[in-house]
């Protein structure tokens, strides 16, 4: 069974640029959630995708957007990068959307640095 | 709105001693509660979760947690600490809206230090 994978592992961008982060969900999982983890903080929920549609969103501005593909992989796009966007971005997959009891399995994350 | 409070950003115990990591939550609906562990430069790994039923939940690596509704707590314990337990531990809650997606709400984490 293949776990959740994310690419790239590290990324450096400058303020104002755009970035795309990628995630492959665990085999058999159809739901992907994205989280932002700032240094020294717990992860914060950005949004969730289920069957290629956004299925819920946390308190993040519209410049954070995403996609989910038919194979359930996902992308997180961030436009107009700000210094505060520097963080570890975590992707998590689960088997059924909207069920809060389902375990979310996390990938290793992408470390984004905005200069 | 849900929230999670983890008391103590750093906890230090001796190898072989009891580990106790504290977590209190607030939720307007019956919560589902999780403990995750994060090792340096890695993602989060589920230790255990409480959904319904037995309030004492056993997880991996000898950890367990007890859901106490009256105290709104879900503290994590391990009888005997091992050096390999040194990591960051996160308590999380879900189940707010009851329908549609709701992500996990995490606490700020507790860094567990094991003294030899």
């Amino acid at each position: 069974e293949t776990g959740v994978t994310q690419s790239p592992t590290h990324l450096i961008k400058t303020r104002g640029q755009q970035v795309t982060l990628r995630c492959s969900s665990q085999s058999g999982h159809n739901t992907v959630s994205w989280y932002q983890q700032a240094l020294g903080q717990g992860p914060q929920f950005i949004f969730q995708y289920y069957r290629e549609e956004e299925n819920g969103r946390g308190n993040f501005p519209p410049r954070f957007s995403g996609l989910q593909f038919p194979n359930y992989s996902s992308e997180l796009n961030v436009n107009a990068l700000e210094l505060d966007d520097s963080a570890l971005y975590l992707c998590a997959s689960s088997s059924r959307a909207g069920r809060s009891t389902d375990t979310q399995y996390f990938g290793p994350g992408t470390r984004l640095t905005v200069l | 709105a849900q929230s999670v409070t983890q008391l103590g950003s750093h906890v230090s115990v001796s190898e072989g001693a009891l580990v106790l990591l504290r977590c209190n939550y607030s939720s307007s609906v019956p919560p589902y509660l999780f403990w995750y562990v994060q090792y340096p430069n890695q993602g989060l790994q589920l230790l255990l979760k409480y959904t319904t039923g037995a309030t004492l939940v056993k997880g991996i690596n000898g950890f367990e947690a007890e859901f106490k509704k009256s105290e709104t707590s879900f503290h994590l314990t391990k009888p005997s600490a091992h050096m390999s337990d040194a990591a960051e531990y996160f308590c999380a809650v879900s189940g707010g809206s009851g329908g549609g997606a709701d992500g996990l709400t995490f606490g700020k984490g507790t860094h567990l230090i094991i003294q030899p």
Side-chain angles (χ1 to χ4, degrees), chain B residues 44-107:
Chain B
L44 280 71
Q45 180 183 11
L46 181 72
L47 283 175
L48 49 80
K49 68 179 183 181
Y50 168 78
T51 55
T52 58
T55 57
L56 182 62
V57 180
K58 294 186 184 300
I60 62 171
N61 301 340
F63 285 94
E64 62 182 38
E66 186 171 11
F67 170 59
K68 292 187 176 180
K69 185 178 179 180
S70 62
E71 299 178 6
T72 61
S73 69
F74 190 57
H75 301 331
L76 181 71
T77 61
K78 180 174 181 177
S80 176
H82 191 272
M83 295 300 291
S84 61
D85 294 328
E88 193 79 18
Y89 291 79
F90 293 95
C91 181
V93 62
S94 73
S97 66
D102 54 1
L104 297 169
T105 299
F106 286 87

Side-chain angles (χ1 to χ4, degrees), chain A:
Chain A
E1 185 178 84
T2 305
V4 178
T5 60
Q6 293 185 243
S7 63
T9 54
H10 295 85
L11 203 51
I12 299 175
K13 292 286 188 178
T14 56
R15 196 169 46 182
Q17 285 188 313
Q18 178 267 343
V19 69
T20 297
L21 309 182
R22 295 177 175 83
C23 170
S24 292
S25 60
Q26 185 166 312
S27 177
H29 287 180
N30 57 16
T31 302
V32 173
S33 302
W34 286 92
Y35 293 83
Q36 181 195 66
Q37 185 179 16
L39 199 61
Q41 301 295 316
Q44 284 193 291
F45 175 63
I46 303 175
F47 45 54
Q48 183 180 89
Y49 276 82
Y50 171 63
R51 292 186 176 177
E52 302 177 54
E53 291 191 1
E54 188 177 294
N55 189 44
R57 189 177 187 94
N59 189 26
F60 280 81
R63 60 189 185 85
F64 286 78
S65 63
L67 285 172
Q68 187 180 31
F69 301 99
N71 66 354
Y72 305 127
S73 65
S74 177
E75 288 182 354
L76 164 65
N77 299 291
V78 187
N79 293 322
L81 284 167
E82 300 176 0
L83 296 179
D84 285 348
D85 295 333
S86 295
L88 181 68
Y89 288 84
L90 295 165
C91 168
S93 73
S94 54
S95 58
R96 287 173 291 182
R99 288 176 59 89
S100 303
T101 58
D102 290 339
T103 298
Q104 295 188 24
Y105 295 86
F106 284 80
T110 294
R111 173 74 62 187
L112 173 64
T113 302
V114 182
L115 303 177

